[in-house]
Amino acid sequence: SLGSGIANVDEEGFVTAGGRGQTAIMVRYRGRAKVSSVIRPFAEDVDLTGFQPHNFVDEHVRDRWQKLGLTPSPLCSDEEFIRRAFLASIGTLPPRQRVEVFLASDEPGKRDSLVAELLGLTGDPKRDVYIEEWSAYWTQKWGDLLRNNRQKVGEIGMWAFANWIRASLRENKPMDQFVREIIMARGSIYQNGQANYYKVSSKPTELAETTSHVFLGVRLQCAQCHQHPFESYSQTDYYGLAAFFTRVTTKRSSDFGGFGGDTVVRLKSSGSIRHPRTGKVVAPTLLGAGSLEGASARDLRRPLAEWLTSPENPLFARNLVNRTWGYLMGVPLVEPIDDLRETNPPSNPQLLDALAANFVSNGYDLRELMRTIMT
C-alpha cells in the first residue's frame, strides 16, 4: 500500500476507494484466497513525455507512474549517483580520487561504465578492481540469509561456508548452480563449505521451511499444522517437501583433530516421513507441482534441486529478483521481502515478471541482474 485508508471494505464486501495510492483486497472462501488490486491515482493525468527510459525497467516503472498519476523526481546528480552506486554494490563510499575522475568526465555513458566497473563486468582486469569488495559485501548478505554463524556451525564451519559463498560470487557462478550445489551438498562441512546448510538445519521439517523460505520466498511454517491461511499450501505440501530430506543425515568425524569435531553430511539408504494427522507416509511433493510417488532416485534432493532452479518454476527467479531489488533499492517489489504469495502482490507485477524473465534468459547471472537494475 502507498498510504493508509486507500480502500475500505464493509461487512457486505463492498469496496469503497478512500485515499490515493495502490493497495490490494484479499477475498477468502472455504480455504481459498484471491486478491484484487485497487488503484486510485494521485493525479488524473501526468505528462511523462520528458522521461527517457534507459532500459525495460524504466519502461515498466513509467507505466506504473502513469497508472498512479505520479511525477518522478528529476535525474540525480553525478555526485549522488556515484555515492549511491558504491554503497549499493560494495557497501563503501567511493574514494575521493575516483569521485574527482567521475565528476570531471563528460562521457555520455559514464554511469553505465561505472556500474560495470563496480560489478566487474568491463572485461578489463585493470578496471575490474572491485571484485573482492563486491564478493565480500554480498557474501555477508547471503551469509545472513543462509544463517551462517558460529553458534550454528562453529568457527571453522562458519569460515568454510563463508569462503565457499565468496568464491562462488567471485567467479560469478550462476545462481541456479549456486543453489543446486547447496541443496546437493555432501561430505565434510570443513572441506565442503556448502554442506554447512545441513548443519544449520538438520531436521527434514526445518530444511523444508528453510529451503522454501530462502530460495522460493515462501513462508511454509503455517502449513505444518493446518492449511496455510493465505495460500493454497496444505499439511501434505509441507510434509511432502520435508520428505525430500528424510535420507540426509550427519555423523561426527575426528579427521581434523585440532580443529575440533568435524561433521559429515551423508545419505541413508532409506527414509520417510508421516503425515501427523493421517499417519500415512507422505511422498516427496514439489510445491504446486505434484508428488513424486515411487521416486527411484537414491538422493531425493536431486529432483528437488532440479525443479527448484528450473526456468519452469517461476518462484525461484521471482524470489531472487525481488531480494536483489530490495537490497539495491531499499524497498522490494514484494513487501515483506520473503513473502511471495498470491495474496501479497508486488507493487509492480509487470516489472517483477520482466526482471525474472530477463534473469532466466541471462543464465541466472546475478551481476547482470544488478547491472540491469542499477542502470
Side-chain angles (χ1 to χ4, degrees):
S1 167
L2 299 180
S4 59
I6 296 170
N8 301 299
V9 185
D10 66 18
E11 293 180 357
E12 301 299 321
F14 188 79
V15 180
T16 305
R20 300 181 185 276
Q22 173 181 327
T23 191
I25 303 296
M26 181 178 67
V27 181
R28 294 178 62 195
Y29 179 70
R30 301 188 68 176
R32 306 291 292 180
K34 291 293 181 180
V35 163
S36 177
S37 294
V38 175
I39 294 177
R40 188 180 182 205
F42 289 93
E44 292 303 317
D45 189 32
V46 292
D47 183 7
L48 298 177
T49 55
F51 177 76
Q52 296 299 318
H54 193 73
N55 60 16
F56 71 88
V57 174
D58 290 340
E59 292 172 358
H60 286 294
V61 171
R62 178 196 57 197
D63 293 344
R64 184 59 43 162
W65 285 336
Q66 196 79 60
K67 286 184 178 181
L68 284 167
L70 289 174
T71 302
S73 301
L75 201 65
C76 70
S77 67
D78 283 345
E79 290 91 341
E80 291 167 328
F81 186 87
I82 188 171
R83 181 180 186 276
R84 183 172 181 188
F86 266 79
L87 288 173
S89 60
I90 65 175
T92 62
L93 290 168
R96 177 174 177 174
Q97 184 179 11
R98 185 67 187 87
V99 174
E100 291 173 347
V101 170
F102 184 72
L103 298 182
S105 172
D106 57 3
E107 294 182 12
K110 68 178 184 179
R111 294 191 179 191
D112 288 3
S113 181
L114 174 66
V115 169
E117 188 177 301
L118 286 167
L119 299 176
L121 293 173
T122 71
D124 181 355
K126 293 182 179 179
R127 294 184 59 206
D128 291 336
V129 295
Y130 297 103
I131 297 296
E132 289 301 326
E133 288 88 343
W134 181 86
S135 58
Y137 182 60
W138 291 94
T139 293
Q140 295 232 2
K141 298 282 191 184
W142 273 97
D144 288 345
L145 194 56
L146 293 165
R147 295 185 294 168
N148 180 30
N149 61 73
R150 292 177 178 85
Q151 287 70 35
K152 291 283 186 180
V153 299
E155 184 83 17
I156 307 303
M158 181 272 294
W159 280 112
F161 203 178
N163 289 338
W164 179 83
I165 295 171
R166 186 167 182 174
S168 298
L169 295 173
R170 186 189 300 116
E171 67 188 52
N172 204 24
K173 183 180 294 180
M175 294 308 292
D176 59 333
Q177 180 184 343
F178 175 84
V179 173
R180 282 197 300 271
E181 290 182 15
I182 291 175
I183 298 297
M184 295 296 298
R186 294 175 64 177
S188 162
I189 65 169
Y190 291 171
Q191 291 180 314
N192 305 299
Q194 70 273 34
N196 282 278
Y197 186 70
Y198 293 97
K199 180 76 170 178
V200 174
S201 301
S202 57
K203 297 178 181 178
T205 51
E206 292 176 349
L207 287 162
E209 291 179 10
T210 301
T211 299
S212 65
H213 187 198
V214 174
F215 302 128
L216 299 178
V218 174
R219 298 179 179 183
L220 206 59
Q221 294 91 325
C222 290
Q224 182 176 14
C225 303
H226 49 75
Q227 173 77 29
H228 196 300
F230 306 129
E231 265 291 7
S232 59
Y233 302 126
S234 65
Q235 275 186 295
T236 300
D237 292 311
Y238 179 93
Y239 288 96
L241 187 59
F244 286 103
F245 300 103
T246 54
R247 297 180 186 177
V248 184
T249 188
T250 59
K251 69 173 183 178
R252 302 290 292 171
S253 171
S254 57
D255 291 347
F256 285 84
F259 287 121
D262 186 13
T263 297
V264 176
V265 177
R266 61 190 185 93
L267 292 178
K268 299 182 292 184
S269 59
S270 63
S272 62
I273 195 167
R274 293 183 179 274
H275 195 292
R277 184 167 51 82
T278 66
K280 294 181 179 180
V281 172
V282 182
T285 305
L286 302 169
L287 290 180
S291 68
L292 299 180
E293 196 78 48
S296 59
R298 178 171 181 268
D299 191 346
L300 292 172
R301 299 174 304 169
R302 186 173 299 281
L304 172 64
E306 290 173 354
W307 166 79
L308 194 71
T309 59
S310 167
E312 304 305 314
N313 174 18
L315 285 172
F316 180 70
R318 286 164 61 89
N319 172 53
L320 293 185
V321 163
N322 187 59
R323 288 186 184 278
T324 304
W325 180 281
Y327 291 149
L328 292 173
M329 295 295 188
V331 178
L333 293 169
V334 177
E335 179 75 85
I337 199 170
D338 56 355
D339 195 12
L340 272 68
R341 50 184 162 82
E342 187 178 356
T343 53
N344 186 32
S347 58
N348 192 328
Q350 292 76 22
L351 175 56
L352 182 58
D353 289 343
L355 278 169
N358 182 257
F359 186 42
V360 173
S361 67
N362 280 335
Y364 299 98
D365 189 319
L366 182 60
R367 292 189 204 170
E368 283 294 346
L369 171 62
M370 289 186 178
R371 169 154 59 184
T372 299
I373 296 171
M374 291 177 68
T375 56

